[in-house]
């Protein structure tokens, strides 16, 4: 009887999957009502959630009047908001979008279609600029550089890693660790998917400028530095053999550079007059060997962690299929 009940429940969810639109917000009073109404129109069966992150301009009240389910997250930062949303909100399919009014709500139907029929665990909406002022040149350059860096290190499956418009399956959301605190959350989402080799797709979606009265919270250099730091952190933790091998190679080259004159002098005279230099070179070479073996050990640990994350992912059901949104 229990098995039959579960089968019927899965069948019902496949025919009519529940959809949640997640909108993290901080001081978006100028745009949030329009964003909520646009997504209610585009996805009439979806539940619209606005998570307010200590706004001081009445964002939560405006969102509630527009028809959104409003919740609050006290820990400042977009990463903290996403962490709370992923933990608390139950659905089969998820759309995450910024509350600044720059993304096209109608593109959500294409994202959901790909999530179901792919099936994909993440669909990224790459930004297609519809207005010249929508995306500052420094942000374009920074996005290309960071996206290219992640593609080189973890695999290239996106042209716009930092887009705030994405769709997710339930199995992705409920097995994503969400360690980031701020705007580097988009980088963590992409690296998590690439590291576990999850099925990813990408579409192009119109991207417009912020309306008058709405100010961006992004900082090109501050947020870029945070993302680079996060990439380094992930490289150390998810690819420790490559990271520590590079450190070992650097130490090895430094040691050889320091030791070369000492070795040449030894072969010419049979003496080692610069003993401190020889000791320093030998010590650095030991650090090189230690770094290499650290990489081997941590690579084994990381392999076990990756297996555990994969098993947790497989415990969740796949995206509902066989129904057109």
């Amino acid at each position: 009887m229990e098995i039959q009940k579960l089968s019927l429940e899965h069948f019902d969810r496949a025919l009519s999957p529940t959809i949640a639109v997640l909108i993290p917000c901080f001081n978006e009073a100028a745009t949030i009502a329009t964003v909520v109404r646009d997504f209610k129109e585009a996805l009439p069966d979806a539940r619209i959630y606005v998570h307010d992150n200590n706004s001081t301009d009445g964002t939560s009240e405006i969102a509630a009047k527009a028809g959104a389910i409003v919740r609050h997250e006290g820990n400042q930062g977009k990463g903290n908001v996403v962490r709370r949303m992923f933990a608390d909100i139950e659905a089969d399919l998820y759309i995450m979008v910024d509350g600044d009014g720059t993304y096209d709500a109608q593109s959500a139907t294409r994202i959901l279609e790909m999530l179901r029929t792919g099936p994909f665990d993440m669909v990224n909406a790459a930004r297609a600029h519809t207005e010249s002022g929508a995306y500052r040149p420094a942000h374009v350059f920074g996005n290309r550089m960071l996206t290219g860096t992640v593609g080189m290190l973890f695999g290239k499956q996106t042209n716009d890693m930092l887009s705030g418009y994405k769709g997710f399956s339930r199995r992705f959301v409920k097995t994503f660790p969400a360690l980031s605190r701020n705007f580097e959350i988009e980088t963590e989402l992409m690296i998590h998917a690439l590291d576990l080799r999850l099925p990813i797709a990408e579409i192009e979606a119109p991207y417009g400028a912020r309306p008058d009265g709405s100010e961006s919270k992004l900082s090109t250099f501050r947020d870029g530095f945070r993302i680079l730091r996060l990439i380094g952190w992930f490289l150390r933790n998810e690819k420790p053999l490559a990271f520590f091998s590079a450190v070992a190679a650097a130490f090895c080259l430094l040691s050889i550079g320091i030791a070369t004159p000492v070795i040449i002098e030894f072969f010419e005279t049979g003496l080692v007059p610069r003993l401190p230099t020889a000791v320093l070179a030998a010590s650095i070479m030991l650090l090189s060997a230690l770094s290499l073996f650290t990489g081997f050990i941590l690579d084994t640990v990381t392999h076990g962690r990756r297996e555990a994350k994969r098993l947790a992912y497989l415990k969740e059901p796949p995206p509902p299929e066989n129904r057109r949104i």
Side-chain angles (χ1 to χ4, degrees):
M1 183 63 70
E2 186 68 23
I3 294 176
Q4 183 180 8
K5 180 180 178 181
L6 290 173
S7 298
L8 289 173
E9 180 182 354
H10 182 73
F11 179 75
D12 291 338
R13 289 172 64 186
L15 289 177
S16 183
T18 56
I19 302 165
V21 178
L22 314 181
I23 309 176
C25 274
F26 173 62
N27 287 342
E28 299 289 6
T31 57
I32 189 60
T34 301
V35 173
V36 171
R37 285 194 295 265
D38 287 349
F39 275 91
K40 286 178 72 70
E41 180 182 350
L43 304 172
D45 296 330
R47 294 193 294 268
I48 314 295
Y49 293 88
V50 170
H51 268 57
D52 182 65
N53 193 207
N54 303 315
S55 295
T56 58
D57 62 353
T59 294
S60 58
E61 292 81 3
I62 295 171
K65 289 180 181 178
I69 302 169
V70 178
R71 296 178 179 176
H72 299 271
E73 172 55 45
N75 293 317
Q76 196 66 41
K78 184 178 179 180
N80 289 320
V81 180
V82 172
R83 179 186 180 96
R84 175 55 55 193
M85 289 192 298
F86 280 12
D88 292 352
I89 296 172
E90 299 293 329
D92 295 317
L93 302 172
Y94 297 79
I95 297 289
M96 186 178 76
V97 65
D98 292 338
D100 56 10
T102 57
Y103 293 99
D104 173 46
Q106 294 299 324
S107 298
T109 57
R110 290 190 289 144
I111 293 175
L112 291 172
E113 182 72 5
M114 296 191 73
L115 283 173
R116 284 187 313 96
T117 59
F120 296 102
D121 285 303
M122 181 168 74
V123 177
N124 185 59
R127 290 166 286 190
H129 309 151
T130 58
E131 302 176 43
S132 58
Y135 211 9
R136 285 178 282 177
H139 284 177
V140 174
F141 172 76
N143 186 19
R144 289 176 178 172
M145 182 189 72
L146 294 169
T147 299
T149 300
V150 169
M152 180 177 63
L153 296 175
F154 295 93
K156 181 174 174 58
Q157 293 198 36
T158 177
N159 295 309
D160 187 9
M161 176 185 71
L162 301 182
S163 170
Y165 197 6
K166 292 177 171 64
F168 307 100
S169 67
R170 175 184 173 83
R171 66 189 343 186
F172 184 103
V173 166
K174 294 306 178 182
T175 58
F176 176 64
L179 302 175
S180 303
R181 298 177 183 271
N182 296 291
F183 281 99
E184 61 269 25
I185 184 67
E186 277 91 5
T187 306
E188 184 183 359
L189 288 164
M190 186 59 65
I191 291 177
H192 175 76
L194 292 172
D195 187 53
L196 288 183
R197 288 176 286 169
L198 304 182
I200 303 171
E202 185 168 83
I203 66 168
E204 279 198 351
Y207 182 74
R210 278 177 171 265
D212 294 336
S214 175
E215 295 183 2
S216 174
K217 286 82 177 174
L218 296 175
S219 170
T220 302
F221 296 103
R222 181 196 63 200
D223 295 328
F225 174 76
R226 285 176 174 171
I227 292 168
L228 282 174
R229 184 176 61 184
L230 182 72
I231 292 172
W233 186 90
F234 268 103
L235 181 62
R236 186 193 68 190
N237 286 274
E238 303 301 333
K239 293 183 178 293
L241 184 56
F243 179 86
F244 284 99
S245 293
V247 173
F251 277 134
C252 182
L253 291 175
L254 178 60
S255 175
I256 292 172
I258 293 173
T260 297
V262 178
I263 295 172
I264 292 173
E265 192 170 10
F266 172 76
F267 280 114
E268 289 177 348
T269 66
L271 301 174
V272 184
R274 291 185 285 180
L275 183 60
T277 304
V279 171
L280 176 62
S283 299
I284 294 175
M285 187 60 76
L286 287 175
L287 287 176
S288 174
L290 181 62
S291 296
L292 183 61
F293 282 105
T294 299
F296 281 121
I297 294 169
L298 291 181
D299 188 62
T300 302
V301 174
T302 300
H303 185 74
R305 288 176 49 246
R306 193 174 291 118
E307 287 180 342
K309 288 192 288 186
R310 177 69 178 174
L311 290 174
Y313 164 83
L314 291 173
K315 289 181 180 178
E316 294 291 334
E321 299 175 4
N322 303 324
R323 176 178 179 266
R324 297 273 173 184
I325 297 293

